């Protein structure tokens, strides 16, 4: 798989960023030659995009990184939405094969595969929205450059580092990972620890102890944290009101949701939304 080696000894240079929403299902990406790197992170629908002679089909939760001087064009109608940012790094684009290069990683270089799936789309999107708010609120280059670099570092840790970890998983670690996946897929439901124990065939005390031993936090607390991560994404990326967000997370009482959110995040849902309210939205 192709990967790009990015120099992060200093911050990368942000050129532009925004969120794109296709005006219709017939929209096709324009044709152009990129003058810088472009990172695309999908949030909805499917994007049919080509880079030179390679065609990509990108769905929600997937990303694509295209280097400078790439001939970029849509090859099929795409009803979709995605976050994007353009940036430059010191030196020209370095292309390599990502296989077998983990030993060469340093704190000043990131080796990012050209495309892949992010582990936590919500976290990346919140960071992208914070960057956009910074651009609109301050437009201070140094701040924006560092925030862009942090996003790339987060993407690297989500995609590359975790996928290539050589650590062999034990039976307990695999069970822990299965619990984590179950919770992430069920965050819109009212999840109880007893429900998890019944699903995986263990008693509540054993499952709770196992999870706390590996993660360092109680299972019940982790469930709540994951719900609030999804809540932050919905407050950041949608225009749903607080009641709609609470219902989507499985809360019957909006006040209970607001109380839980304030406890975990430190802000009310409204204060959190207002803190990073200035999204940059594009339709062309």
């Amino acid at each position: 798989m192709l990967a790009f080696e990015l120099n992060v000894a200093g911050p990368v240079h942000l050129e532009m960023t925004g969120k794109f929403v296709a005006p219709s299902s017939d929209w096709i990406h324009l044709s152009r030659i990129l003058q810088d790197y472009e990172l695309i992170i999908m949030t909805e629908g499917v994007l049919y995009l080509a880079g030179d002679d390679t065609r990509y089909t990108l769905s929600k939760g997937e990303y694509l990184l295209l280097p400078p001087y790439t001939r970029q064009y849509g090859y099929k109608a795409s009803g979709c939405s995605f976050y994007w940012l353009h940036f430059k790094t010191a030196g020209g684009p370095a292309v390599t094969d990502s296989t077998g290069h983990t030993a060469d990683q340093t704190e000043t270089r990131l080796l990012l595969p050209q495309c892949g799936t992010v582990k936590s789309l919500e976290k990346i999107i919140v960071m992208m929205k914070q960057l956009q708010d910074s651009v609109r609120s301050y437009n201070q280059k140094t701040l924006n450059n560092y925030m862009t670099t942090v996003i790339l570092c987060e993407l690297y840790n989500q995609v590359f580092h975790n996928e290539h970890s050589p650590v062999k998983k034990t039976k307990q670690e695999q069970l822990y990972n299965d619990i984590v996946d179950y919770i992430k897929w069920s965050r819109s439901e009212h999840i109880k620890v007893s429900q998890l124990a019944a699903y995986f065939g263990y008693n509540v005390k054993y499952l709770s102890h196992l999870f706390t031993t590996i993660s360092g936090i109680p299972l019940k607390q982790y469930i709540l944290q994951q719900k609030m991560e999804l809540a932050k994404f919905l407050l950041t990326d949608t225009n749903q009101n607080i009641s709609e967000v609470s219902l989507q997370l499985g809360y019957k009482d909006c006040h209970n949701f607001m109380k839980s959110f304030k406890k975990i995040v430190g802000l009310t849902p409204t204060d959190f939304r207002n803190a990073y309210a200035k999204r940059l939205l594009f339709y062309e």
Side-chain angles (χ1 to χ4, degrees), residues 13 37 40 47 52 84 106 122 132 138 168 200 205 214 229 279:
H13 299 282
Y37 283 98
I40 292 173
L47 173 62
D52 292 330
W84 56 269
T106 72
E122 293 86 0
Q132 292 177 23
Y138 314 116
K168 185 178 180 179
F200 288 103
K205 185 176 180 180
I214 295 177
E229 284 298 314
R279 182 168 57 214

Side-chain angles (χ1 to χ4, degrees), residues 171-186:
K171 180 180 178 180
Q172 289 76 18
E173 288 173 326
Q174 186 58 60
L175 175 58
Y176 164 80
N177 289 332
D178 289 344
I179 295 170
V180 168
D181 291 340
Y182 182 94
I183 292 170
K184 287 183 177 179
W185 281 103
S186 307

Side-chain angles (χ1 to χ4, degrees), residues 52-76:
D52 292 330
D53 296 325
T54 303
R55 292 186 171 187
Y56 302 93
T57 302
L58 303 173
S59 301
K60 181 178 180 179
E62 296 179 331
Y63 79 92
L64 175 65
L65 179 62
L66 293 176
Y69 315 120
T70 299
R71 183 171 63 92
Q72 181 192 66
Y73 57 95
Y75 64 90
K76 188 176 178 180

Side-chain angles (χ1 to χ4, degrees), residues 167-208:
V167 178
K168 185 178 180 179
K169 300 298 181 184
T170 65
K171 180 180 178 180
Q172 289 76 18
E173 288 173 326
Q174 186 58 60
L175 175 58
Y176 164 80
N177 289 332
D178 289 344
I179 295 170
V180 168
D181 291 340
Y182 182 94
I183 292 170
K184 287 183 177 179
W185 281 103
S186 307
R187 288 178 296 180
S188 60
E189 303 173 8
H190 182 59
I191 310 172
K192 294 183 178 180
V193 175
S194 58
Q195 174 188 341
L196 286 169
Y199 180 84
F200 288 103
Y202 294 89
N203 66 57
V204 171
K205 185 176 180 180
Y206 173 80
L207 205 68
S208 299

Side-chain angles (χ1 to χ4, degrees), residues 33-275:
I33 303 295
L34 291 177
Q35 301 302 310
D36 41 36
Y37 283 98
E38 181 178 20
L39 173 65
I40 292 173
I41 299 178
M42 295 293 298
T43 57
E44 294 293 341
V46 180
L47 173 62
Y48 299 96
L49 184 67
D52 292 330
D53 296 325
T54 303
R55 292 186 171 187
Y56 302 93
T57 302
L58 303 173
S59 301
K60 181 178 180 179
E62 296 179 331
Y63 79 92
L64 175 65
L65 179 62
L66 293 176
Y69 315 120
T70 299
R71 183 171 63 92
Q72 181 192 66
Y73 57 95
Y75 64 90
K76 188 176 178 180
S78 305
C80 63
S81 66
F82 54 84
Y83 280 80
W84 56 269
L85 61 83
H86 288 252
F87 66 93
K88 294 180 178 178
T89 63
V95 183
T96 185
D97 186 330
S98 65
T99 305
H101 283 68
T102 55
D104 296 331
Q105 291 297 296
T106 72
E107 293 183 356
T108 61
R109 293 183 294 123
L110 298 179
L111 190 64
L112 275 175
Q114 184 165 36
C115 54
T117 302
V118 299
K119 293 293 189 298
S120 176
L121 175 63
E122 293 86 0
K123 187 173 183 179
I124 288 285
I125 295 309
V126 169
M127 295 172 73
M128 294 284 282
K129 180 68 182 299
Q130 291 171 345
L131 172 62
Q132 292 177 23
D133 185 85
S134 173
V135 171
R136 275 204 184 277
S137 298
Y138 314 116
N139 200 23
Q140 209 279 332
K141 288 186 178 180
T142 301
L143 173 61
N144 297 338
N145 291 343
Y146 274 107
M147 292 183 73
T148 303
T149 307
V150 169
I151 290 172
L152 294 172
C153 290
E154 173 65 25
L155 180 63
Y156 165 77
N157 280 287
Q158 282 198 28
V159 177
F160 188 85
H161 181 74
N162 292 336
E163 284 187 354
H164 294 269
S165 175
V167 178
K168 185 178 180 179
K169 300 298 181 184
T170 65
K171 180 180 178 180
Q172 289 76 18
E173 288 173 326
Q174 186 58 60
L175 175 58
Y176 164 80
N177 289 332
D178 289 344
I179 295 170
V180 168
D181 291 340
Y182 182 94
I183 292 170
K184 287 183 177 179
W185 281 103
S186 307
R187 288 178 296 180
S188 60
E189 303 173 8
H190 182 59
I191 310 172
K192 294 183 178 180
V193 175
S194 58
Q195 174 188 341
L196 286 169
Y199 180 84
F200 288 103
Y202 294 89
N203 66 57
V204 171
K205 185 176 180 180
Y206 173 80
L207 205 68
S208 299
H209 176 74
L210 171 76
F211 192 91
T212 302
T213 300
I214 295 177
S215 69
I217 63 173
L219 179 52
K220 187 175 181 180
Q221 180 76 4
Y222 181 79
I223 294 172
L224 185 58
Q225 287 181 353
Q226 287 303 306
K227 278 184 172 291
M228 295 309 109
E229 284 298 314
L230 179 56
K232 288 192 289 185
F233 166 70
L234 294 172
L235 291 168
T236 298
D237 195 57
T238 75
N239 294 320
Q240 294 180 20
N241 61 42
I242 306 302
S243 296
E244 291 171 331
V245 171
S246 66
L247 285 173
Q248 190 163 335
L249 293 170
Y251 284 88
K252 295 180 180 179
D253 187 338
C254 182
H255 294 290
N256 287 337
F257 162 67
M258 292 190 290
K259 183 178 178 180
S260 296
F261 190 91
K262 177 70 180 293
K263 180 180 179 180
I264 295 296
V265 181
L267 297 170
T268 67
T270 299
D271 288 341
F272 180 84
R273 169 170 272 169
N274 291 340

